[in-house]
Structures are given as structure tokens and as C-alpha cells.
Amino acid sequence: MIATRGRAANKLDSSDNEERSLMGAKKQKLQRFLSAHSNCYFCGGAATTIDHVPSRECFIGRVGPEGYEFPACKRCNNSAGPAEQTVALYRHCTDFAEDIRGRPQVEKLLSGLRNNSPTRVPITEVSANQKRQLARRSNIALQTGDTYAGLPIVGITPDVHHDFKVFSRRLTCALFYRHAGKILPATHMIKTQWIQFAHGRAEKIVADITADMPHLTQTGRVNTNIGQQFSYRWYLDAETETFLFAAQFAMAFFIFGLTARFALETSGEGWESHQSDYPEPFR
Ligand SMILES: [Zn+2]
């Protein structure tokens, strides 16, 4: 603080007051939210923060849908950060709608990853041969005049897949909390998968997976049109606490999640208990 005089001082005082009342309103909102939702949606511990799932960074201008705020303890909220950054980057830079409003976020997320986590940065040195292999594997057809070398394909590391898994498992817990109205038990098993919009068979795969999912949720905001950046189909069997969903993130990728009690069918490849998601030293 520095000393000021006259009108400038009054002005500063009033902006101080505004800031104080803004902070007060924010705090009140948090208190109100936490009195209705007192436990962490992820680990069940005492909640002290609001976690946005999917993270705001996934949406253009960081403006996400209403109603996707979840109570979280600080530890669970913080532990999501790195994976959220990675997924947000790929959400914006692989969007087939090529919405240019996402570009400033791509730059910011990229430079953050370059500094803090270089193994998450897309690998741009991909040979024409590698591109051809991937295009064939993913049923990506060449358009007239295109060459394999010219396809906009980048490489990703196992770390990126790991981050998608972390992100997808959190999304599973959040959507379970929203639609089942309770915290996913630690003993529940979870399996997730993701597929790019660009994959030639994506539409068919999604149609097969969602055939038995009766509900469609289109998310949005009351006073702002955020477009169709996040929508999902889902199914819940409340009695057996089985929940499955297929979510679409703009025209970038789909995430599938499935959670159920431990059983023979949920002990195979790709299945892990929810407890394995807990940040240390809870496990
Ligand atoms: Zn927690």
C-alpha cells in the first residue's frame, strides 16, 4: 500500500470495498455449496473447495457448463491439475471444428507443458511412413490431393495416455456423483477409454457403445451459449450402482467410462479399483 490523497484515495477505497464484497460473495457461495455438499466427490473426505469437472480449461474462454461443480478436498482437487492441463491442450488442438477462439489457450497450455512436463508436448517429428500406418490403423482416409506426409498427425507419449486415464476416471466419479447422488465407493471398479473424433470408425464405435444408454445430457449455461462442447449419454442402475457413460468433447474426442462393483467381469484387463485413484498417502 502507498499513501494517496484526495479523489484518487477515495477511488482506491471504493475499489477496495468492491473487491472485498466480491471476495465476500465468493466465500458465501462456497459456504452455501459446501453446506449442501460436505464431502469430497472423489475420496469422501471433508470438502473445502469446489472442483470443476471437466476442468474449465477444457472450454473456450474457460467458460464451462453450469452444474458441473463438485465438492472436493484440497488434496484431490490439486492432484487433478497436471492431467487436466494435458487433456485441455489436446481438446483444443485436435478440435475438428477448428474454433480459432481456442488458440490462445493452446499457446498458453503448450508453453506450460514445455516448462513443466515436456513429455506431454505433442511430438511433431512423425515420418510419412508412421503417418500412413496410423491413418490405416485408425481408418483415416486420404482426401483427393492429400499426401500421408501432409496429414496433421502428431505423436503422443504414454504419459499423455496416463493423463487421459486420470482425467477420465475423475470424470466417471463426478458423473456418478451427479446422477447417482452419492460418492463412488472406494471398492468400485472403473474402466475408461478414449477415442479421437478423427478416427474413421469413431461414429460406429460410439453408436455401438451408446445403444443401451437411454439418457442424453446436453450441457450449457443459462445466459451464455457455449455450444456443444460437452455432452454425454449415460445409464445408471441404482440398485447395483452400475454406471456407464460416453462423453463427447466438441469435435475432438470421446471418453467412455464404466464403473461397477467388484465382480468377475470387472477384474479383467483395464479394470482398477477406485481406491487406486486416491492421492497419496490415502491409499
Ligand atoms: Zn478428496
Side-chain angles (χ1 to χ4, degrees):
M1 284 290 230
I2 54 162
T4 54
R5 297 165 72 106
R7 274 176 28 202
N10 289 338
K11 228 175 169 173
L12 269 187
D13 276 354
S14 70
S15 79
D16 266 5
N17 284 338
E18 270 169 34
E19 207 169 291
R20 256 201 299 277
S21 70
L22 204 69
M23 277 174 65
K26 250 184 149 176
K27 216 170 172 180
Q28 265 180 16
K29 191 184 159 207
L30 176 69
Q31 295 306 348
R32 255 203 319 273
F33 183 79
L34 294 178
S35 63
H37 305 267
S38 53
N39 292 88
C40 177
Y41 80 98
F42 197 68
C43 75
T48 53
T49 66
I50 294 178
D51 196 1
H52 293 82
V53 188
S55 65
R56 279 182 289 193
E57 209 58 74
C58 283
F59 297 91
I60 288 165
R62 302 186 82 246
V63 182
E66 274 155 347
Y68 289 80
E69 297 170 333
F70 298 89
C73 71
K74 213 170 175 176
R75 197 197 309 255
C76 289
N77 198 338
N78 289 347
S79 68
E84 287 174 344
Q85 300 286 305
T86 305
V87 173
L89 170 71
Y90 289 91
R91 143 73 183 93
H92 291 295
C93 75
T94 64
D95 187 358
F96 263 50
E98 293 187 40
D99 195 326
I100 54 165
R101 291 171 301 164
R103 278 189 201 161
Q105 274 161 279
V106 170
E107 291 307 318
K108 208 174 130 247
L109 289 161
L110 254 181
S111 81
L113 287 180
R114 276 198 193 102
N115 290 331
N116 305 321
S117 194
T119 58
R120 267 81 176 174
V121 174
I123 301 159
T124 49
E125 298 87 36
V126 183
S127 70
N129 199 22
Q130 287 171 312
K131 286 184 180 183
R132 189 175 63 230
Q133 281 172 14
L134 183 102
R136 283 189 179 162
R137 216 171 43 232
S138 307
N139 281 55
I140 298 171
L142 271 193
Q143 306 296 314
T144 324
D146 276 357
T147 59
Y148 284 113
L151 284 180
I153 288 175
V154 295
I156 53 173
T157 63
D159 286 348
V160 172
H161 281 291
H162 168 84
D163 286 354
F164 265 88
K165 183 175 153 191
V166 169
F167 182 95
S168 306
R169 292 176 72 88
R170 295 185 78 97
L171 183 60
T172 307
C173 296
L175 296 182
F176 182 86
Y177 182 86
R178 184 177 167 89
H179 296 292
K182 55 177 122 172
I183 295 157
L184 190 73
T187 48
H188 253 55
M189 303 298 283
I190 305 178
K191 185 177 182 173
T192 61
Q193 188 61 263
W194 67 287
I195 184 170
Q196 255 200 280
F197 195 89
H199 194 294
R201 283 199 311 269
E203 216 177 330
K204 168 91 175 71
I205 292 169
V206 172
D208 286 350
I209 289 180
T210 57
D212 296 326
M213 296 186 195
H215 310 290
L216 171 67
T217 301
Q218 298 275 13
T219 70
R221 294 190 75 84
V222 173
N223 292 319
T224 314
N225 180 8
I226 62 164
Q228 296 199 355
Q229 295 188 71
F230 173 56
S231 59
Y232 55 95
R233 283 203 165 271
W234 57 279
Y235 165 79
L236 168 73
D237 179 13
E239 205 179 302
T240 61
E241 297 181 319
T242 299
F243 176 72
L244 42 148
F245 72 92
Q248 180 174 353
F249 288 77
M251 287 170 75
F253 48 74
F254 299 90
I255 287 179
F256 312 117
L258 176 49
T259 183
R261 289 180 191 147
F262 181 83
L264 206 58
E265 309 84 68
T266 61
S267 56
E269 202 193 325
W271 288 97
E272 282 171 49
S273 82
H274 175 38
Q275 188 145 28
S276 71
D277 301 322
Y278 287 11
E280 315 253 15
F282 279 155
R283 270 185 236 168

